[in-house]
Structures are given as structure tokens and as C-alpha cells.
Amino acid sequence: MTKIKGKNDGPGGRNEHYDVGSRKNVPRRNIVAEIKRGEHPGAHVVKVNGREYARDNPDPSKNDNVNRGK
């Protein structure tokens, strides 16, 4: 499974871009579309204030969270 890591590069620390495996600075809309197509089975999409973001599926590990640096 490819790891998704948020960049916290938007206003207020929002994730506008993600690093996905070896791919860097993937725009939020692209990763959201990939998750919706089922390309990242360990992740899901959440809607916050009308914007969709990538999130890892819940598990006991913090090492694989999208915002693991926070």
C-alpha cells in the first residue's frame, strides 16, 4: 500500500498537496479522486467545511497517518 503524507501547505495548515510514495506534491483534488476510484484502499475521503481531504483508515498506528507530523 502506498503511503500518503499531507504537506500542511495551505492556510491554517490544510493539506493542499500530498506526497504519495515517490510522487511529490500531488494536488488534493487528484489524491481525492484516486481514493474515490479505489486506488488507495487504506484511505478514505472526509469533507471538512465543504472541502474533501484524504485520510488514512483508522488503525492503532500513528506512523501511517496522513498528518503524522502533527
Side-chain angles (χ1 to χ4, degrees):
M1 178 180 345
T2 304
K3 299 290 184 191
I4 300 170
K5 184 175 181 186
K7 303 286 282 187
N8 305 110
D9 58 343
R14 291 192 309 246
N15 292 319
E16 294 299 329
H17 295 86
Y18 296 84
D19 289 344
V20 184
S22 63
R23 296 165 45 211
K24 305 296 180 196
N25 295 315
V26 178
R28 176 171 45 89
R29 70 175 178 260
N30 293 21
I31 194 65
V32 165
E34 290 175 12
I35 292 169
K36 287 181 172 183
R37 287 193 301 264
E39 295 177 26
H40 303 282
H44 62 279
V45 174
V46 295
K47 194 173 222 178
V48 178
N49 296 326
R51 294 189 171 124
E52 294 181 312
Y53 296 92
R55 291 290 182 267
D56 277 332
N57 291 341
D59 67 19
S61 172
K62 290 188 178 188
N63 291 335
D64 65 351
N65 290 344
V66 168
N67 289 330
R68 57 185 146 285
K70 285 188 104 176

